[in-house]
Amino acid sequence: MKWEGQRESDNVEDMRGSDGGGGGGGGGGFSIGGGLSLGGVVIALVAGWIFGINPMTLLGLTSGGHGSPAPQHSRTHPANPAGTTGPAAHPQDAGAKFVSIVLADTEDVWSRLFQAAGQAYQPPRLVLFPGRIQTACGRGASSMGPFYCPGDSKVYIDLSFYRTLRERLGAPGDFAQAYVIAHEVGHHVQHLLGVTDKVDALRRRQSEREANATSVRVELQADCLAGVWAYHSQQSKGWLEAGDIDEALNAASQIGDDTLQRRSGGDVVPESFTHGTSEQRQRWFKRGLAQGSIRDCDTFQTRSL
C-alpha cells in the first residue's frame, strides 16, 4: 500500500502521554455502552471462548451505558500545521501517521459518496489512546480492540492493537490495518444513516440470542462498507499493491467469531456470535469491494448472510 506522502487528517486526537485518557488504576471491568467494536480480540484470546464484550452493553441496552463521562482535556492535533505535536509532527511515529492518512482517505471517499446522494458527510474524529479512556459511551479499554462510540462520533484505537493483529492473530500488512480503521468508520456511516438508532430500538424487543444475530448483521454491514471504501479509494488513488486485498481478507478471517473461539480452545457456539464467521466477514467485505455500492451492503434484508 503506497500510503506515504498522502494527505493526513485534521481529525486525530492524540491522547498518548496525557492524563486525559483515564488510564489509571481502579478495579472493576469496563463498560462501553453504545460502542461498536471490531471485536474484543485480546479478551477473546485471554478469557477463553468468550468473544468480545457483551453485545447488549456494546449497543447501549444495559443500564448505565449512557451516563455522562468524566470531563476530558483532550489534545487535538491538526495533522499539517508546523509546531504541533500530533502525528504529522513526528514522522518517526509511523503508526500514527499511517492512521491519520487512512482516516483522511475515508473522509475523502465518504464525503464524495454522501455528496452524490445529496447529503453532507460529517467525519468522525479518531482518538489514539493508551490503555483505558473515558468516552461518551463509558470507559473503553485497549483490550477490546478498536471501537466506535456513536455518543461522541469518535473512533478509538490503541496502536498496540496492530502488534496483536500481526503477531498473535496472524494478520500482518498495512492494508490489514487500514481495513480495521475502515470497519470502524463504517460504524460511523451506519450512525449517520440512522442504522444504529434503528438497531437499538429493535434489540430492545429481542431476546439475547436474537440480539446477537442482529449484532452480526450490524458488523457484517460495517465490513461491507469497509469494502465500499476500499473500492473507491483504489479508484481515486490507485495506491493498493499486489497482496493488499488478501491482507484485508486475511484480517477479516482471523477475527471471525468461529476462528477466535477455535483459537481460544473452546467450542464454537454460533448462538454467541456477535460479529460473524470468518467466511461471512470475508464475503461481505468482498461484496462492498466488488462495485463500491452502499446498496449492496443491506445485511438486514437478506436471509442468507
Side-chain angles (χ1 to χ4, degrees):
M1 184 178 180
K2 298 176 286 188
W3 58 272
E4 293 88 347
Q6 303 287 340
R7 179 181 79 84
E8 296 184 47
S9 174
D10 293 330
N11 292 307
V12 175
E13 297 179 23
D14 194 344
M15 302 295 293
R16 299 171 300 170
S18 75
D19 59 1
F30 96 145
S31 174
I32 186 73
L36 295 167
S37 169
L38 179 67
V41 176
V42 179
I43 290 177
L45 293 174
V46 174
W49 67 267
I50 301 175
F51 177 80
I53 312 304
N54 182 344
M56 300 297 285
T57 305
L58 282 174
L59 287 174
L61 301 184
T62 56
S63 61
H66 290 286
S68 300
Q72 291 187 52
H73 301 288
S74 64
R75 299 179 298 170
T76 302
H77 301 302
N80 296 318
T84 67
T85 56
H90 297 285
Q92 73 276 14
D93 191 353
K97 181 179 284 289
F98 174 79
V99 165
S100 182
I101 287 173
V102 173
L103 181 66
D105 192 70
T106 67
E107 295 165 356
D108 294 342
V109 167
W110 286 112
S111 291
R112 290 195 300 269
L113 292 176
F114 270 60
Q115 185 177 28
Q119 301 181 50
Y121 178 66
Q122 300 172 327
R125 299 189 72 80
L126 186 146
V127 181
L128 302 175
F129 74 98
R132 299 178 183 177
I133 192 165
Q134 190 69 33
T135 80
C137 299
R139 175 167 287 191
S142 301
S143 57
M144 71 180 292
F147 62 93
Y148 171 71
C149 172
D152 54 23
S153 296
K154 293 182 179 182
V155 172
Y156 292 85
I157 182 170
D158 183 330
L159 292 179
S160 66
F161 172 79
Y162 284 148
R163 184 170 61 252
T164 298
L165 190 67
R166 178 178 65 253
E167 297 177 0
R168 300 180 65 180
L169 297 179
D174 48 14
F175 200 63
Q177 298 176 9
Y179 156 73
V180 169
I181 300 169
H183 175 97
E184 298 308 330
V185 172
H187 284 311
H188 178 66
V189 172
Q190 290 174 315
H191 180 52
L192 295 180
L193 296 178
V195 173
T196 305
D197 289 341
K198 291 180 180 178
V199 167
D200 282 351
L202 174 64
R203 289 168 60 89
R204 292 187 184 96
R205 304 190 299 270
Q206 293 181 320
S207 66
E208 182 175 353
R209 180 173 178 173
E210 292 170 332
N212 286 348
T214 297
S215 179
V216 167
R217 293 180 184 272
V218 171
E219 296 297 331
L220 294 179
Q221 185 175 69
D223 282 332
C224 185
L225 294 173
V228 169
W229 163 75
Y231 172 90
H232 290 281
S233 177
Q234 178 65 358
Q235 290 290 310
S236 62
K237 280 192 168 64
W239 59 351
L240 299 187
E241 301 173 292
D244 281 342
I245 296 299
D246 288 339
E247 290 175 359
L249 290 172
N250 178 51
S253 175
Q254 297 301 328
I255 56 178
D257 285 337
D258 54 339
T259 298
L260 287 174
Q261 290 184 357
R262 288 191 189 96
R263 181 180 287 114
S264 66
D267 295 330
V268 175
V269 185
E271 292 79 9
S272 70
F273 290 175
T274 58
H275 287 68
T277 67
S278 295
E279 189 275 333
Q280 288 172 330
R281 301 200 69 166
Q282 289 182 316
R283 187 194 319 158
W284 281 95
F285 176 80
K286 288 191 290 186
R287 185 164 179 167
L289 178 66
Q291 299 185 58
S293 174
I294 299 177
R295 294 186 181 90
D296 291 336
C297 295
D298 190 351
T299 57
F300 294 93
Q301 296 299 318
T302 181
R303 285 190 175 184
S304 176
L305 293 173

